[in-house]
Amino acid sequence: MQKVVAVLGGGIGGLSACHHLSKCPNVSKIVLLEKSGRCGGWLSTIRRDDGAVFEQGPRGVRPAGAVGRNTLNLVSELGLESEILPVTKDHVASKNRFLYVKGQLHKMPSGPGGVIRTIPPFSRPIIQSVLKEMLIRKGTEEDESVHAFVSRRLGSELADVVIDSLCRGVFAGDSRQLSVRSCFPPLYEAERSRGSIVLGMLMGSGEGGPKVVPSDLAKRASKESWTQWSLRRGMQAFPEALEDMLKRRERVEHHHHAKVTSLNMNGGGWEIKLDDGISLKADHVISTLPASELASVLPPAAQPLSEQLRSIASVNVAVVNLEYEGFILPVTGFGHLVPSSEDPGLLGVVYDSVPFPQHNRSGGLTTRLTVMMGGAWFEQTFGHPDSVTKQTLLDRATQAVTSHLGVNSQPVWSCVALHKLCVPFLISEKMRQYISNHNLPLTLAGASYDGVSVNDVIFSGRTAAEGLIGKT
């Protein structure tokens, strides 16, 4: 039977779901509902007339693993190969990543030398923690915080400095609150199956992930050892190309400025009400909306599901793009992270001009930086997100650049964006179980459920579509 499928949310996950649905002849119509005036979600790029490119969301994508191959395969399908800007493993942005600890920048240990010697800010060689880890008994908890897990297995120093900073960089979250099972499944599985992270990584945890056949582009990324990539016109070019392709498919209907206000069951399908009073009918809904948004539109009968969705924590992140005249960095690399013990409100600084100099303006040397602030510490640092001014955030960002990097000049250009409730984290098994038990024609996809990276969100959209129509 032919189905009408509504996809809620036109971010990269929703677009990915539409793309895979549109390949199936059994879907008679796909209705994409996006509440804003553009698709792409957190993939948001500023393009200036002088050629400068600034990312307000993700600024590079990792090509590794099945989900990385899947994204590169989609780039190929969209004909964007010539737009790719790859960063290889021997590039300085891949080799040099820094931590800002006790008022100083420290290069993260890399290569054999960095592991067997004592390198500040650490008090002993990392190899000691790694060797000891293999002898530590398996934990008995069903789940625990990332910080507790790493402290138990690798010691408190690595947990306090490295893992704390990493969780702030990836999730803008507090390692003491985040679940290891939902945020770092490979570490959790390695301990469960092999009794050790190290042995699990060396031998594999025994659970095969998804299989994705690599395109020529994905093969090239592997052969050339890419560590990340972007696009010449910025990451927003990716959802723009995907949306353009979908517009050429006659079974796909696009609606911008289409905010969903309620979902109600109607004879085995859904009645979807929009804020402009229009009602649509669909046999199935794929929701890529943030969990709290979906919770607010579900029918009263699905209250247990709404409550579970509301329990997903998400955070506010300020992203400040800065441009300086000349090359102002004291070190070169990808950027630096800041542990919460050093400065809770300042998550890290990305040295955008190092991995992607192609995004600098034409004519004259400049340095582009992005300062990330807030996350789980937003309210304690800046107060309520609705009352903080952009000037406050800009001042805080430029102060950090001055104190961390010794930059005395002021930026010649800046842009402040506040992303509200943007990085969620939770295990979604219970919610999917509820949907299955109650035979709801609803699929959850996107960052609220399957990982926050660009690759995870794209793959989540694909998985949602294929769960409905079979593999494409």
Side-chain angles (χ1 to χ4, degrees), residues 20-73:
H20 288 283
L21 287 170
S22 71
K23 296 178 178 182
C24 176
N26 292 339
V27 178
S28 58
K29 188 162 72 168
I30 301 144
V31 183
L32 176 62
L33 301 172
E34 166 54 44
K35 70 175 180 184
S36 75
R38 71 165 193 94
C39 286
W42 300 117
L43 292 178
S44 175
T45 303
I46 296 168
R47 302 179 182 119
R48 273 199 339 228
D49 293 343
D50 60 6
V53 171
F54 296 87
E55 299 290 5
Q56 293 186 298
R59 59 217 48 252
V61 180
R62 294 166 66 85
V67 292
R69 288 195 295 278
N70 177 65
T71 301
L72 285 171
N73 291 357

Side-chain angles (χ1 to χ4, degrees), residues 44 88-89 92 115 154 156 170 189 244 301 311 356 379:
S44 175
T88 57
K89 78 164 192 240
V92 69
V115 178
L154 289 162
S156 59
V170 175
E189 290 300 337
D244 283 348
S311 72
F356 302 115
E379 300 217 354

Side-chain angles (χ1 to χ4, degrees), residues 229-381:
W229 56 268
S230 182
L231 295 167
R232 205 166 290 285
R233 301 186 66 247
M235 287 308 303
Q236 195 177 318
F238 194 8
E240 285 169 350
L242 193 42
E243 189 179 13
D244 283 348
M245 178 192 263
L246 290 170
K247 278 178 177 164
R248 294 194 295 273
R249 294 191 175 156
E250 56 193 36
R251 286 180 293 129
V252 183
E253 259 183 36
H254 282 70
H255 297 266
H256 288 147
H257 304 291
K259 182 177 166 61
V260 175
T261 55
S262 71
L263 288 173
N264 285 295
M265 288 301 295
N266 184 347
W270 293 101
E271 185 178 0
I272 305 164
K273 283 207 166 74
L274 306 181
D275 63 350
D276 58 6
I278 289 176
S279 265
L280 304 163
K281 286 188 167 50
D283 299 303
H284 196 98
V285 162
I286 293 176
S287 175
T288 67
L289 300 177
S292 57
E293 269 185 51
L294 176 61
S296 69
V297 300
L298 283 172
Q303 191 189 351
L305 178 59
S306 296
E307 283 172 9
Q308 288 176 21
L309 289 164
R310 282 195 188 95
S311 72
I312 296 185
S314 50
V315 293
N316 304 299
V317 178
V319 176
V320 182
N321 302 108
L322 301 169
E323 181 183 42
Y324 291 83
E325 291 286 0
F327 188 78
I328 51 136
L329 292 169
V331 293
T332 55
F334 181 76
H336 70 262
L337 292 172
V338 184
S340 58
S341 54
E342 188 74 27
D343 183 344
L346 205 294
L347 305 173
V349 182
V350 184
Y351 314 157
D352 297 304
S353 289
V354 178
F356 302 115
Q358 304 92 333
H359 287 162
N360 288 348
R361 72 169 193 223
S362 51
L365 190 60
T366 56
T367 306
R368 290 172 306 106
L369 305 174
T370 303
V371 182
M372 312 280 192
M373 301 186 296
W377 298 265
F378 192 95
E379 300 217 354
Q380 77 176 57
T381 309

Side-chain angles (χ1 to χ4, degrees), residues 124-238:
R124 61 182 189 195
I126 285 173
I127 191 75
Q128 283 185 18
S129 302
V130 169
L131 292 173
K132 226 166 95 180
E133 192 273 340
M134 290 190 268
L135 307 174
I136 288 167
R137 288 219 317 269
K138 199 186 328 191
T140 54
E141 300 288 324
E142 185 61 26
D143 197 3
E144 62 191 308
S145 77
V146 177
H147 188 274
F149 178 88
V150 174
S151 295
R152 184 168 58 74
R153 300 216 61 87
L154 289 162
S156 59
E157 190 172 63
L158 284 177
D160 290 346
V161 178
V162 179
I163 293 301
D164 176 280
S165 301
L166 182 66
C167 286
R168 283 156 60 82
V170 175
F171 301 101
D174 184 347
S175 62
R176 290 157 187 81
Q177 305 293 326
L178 297 176
S179 138
V180 71
R181 192 175 165 194
S182 45
C183 296
F184 295 99
L187 300 189
Y188 175 81
E189 290 300 337
E191 187 192 45
R192 255 179 42 144
S193 61
R194 303 287 185 192
S196 155
I197 304 173
V198 178
L199 292 175
M201 293 300 175
L202 290 173
M203 301 160 68
S205 61
E207 294 197 13
K211 299 282 182 280
V212 174
V213 179
S215 59
D216 288 344
L217 182 64
K219 286 177 187 164
R220 184 186 142 204
S222 175
K223 187 169 164 242
E224 295 174 7
S225 302
W226 298 1
T227 54
Q228 58 168 323
W229 56 268
S230 182
L231 295 167
R232 205 166 290 285
R233 301 186 66 247
M235 287 308 303
Q236 195 177 318
F238 194 8

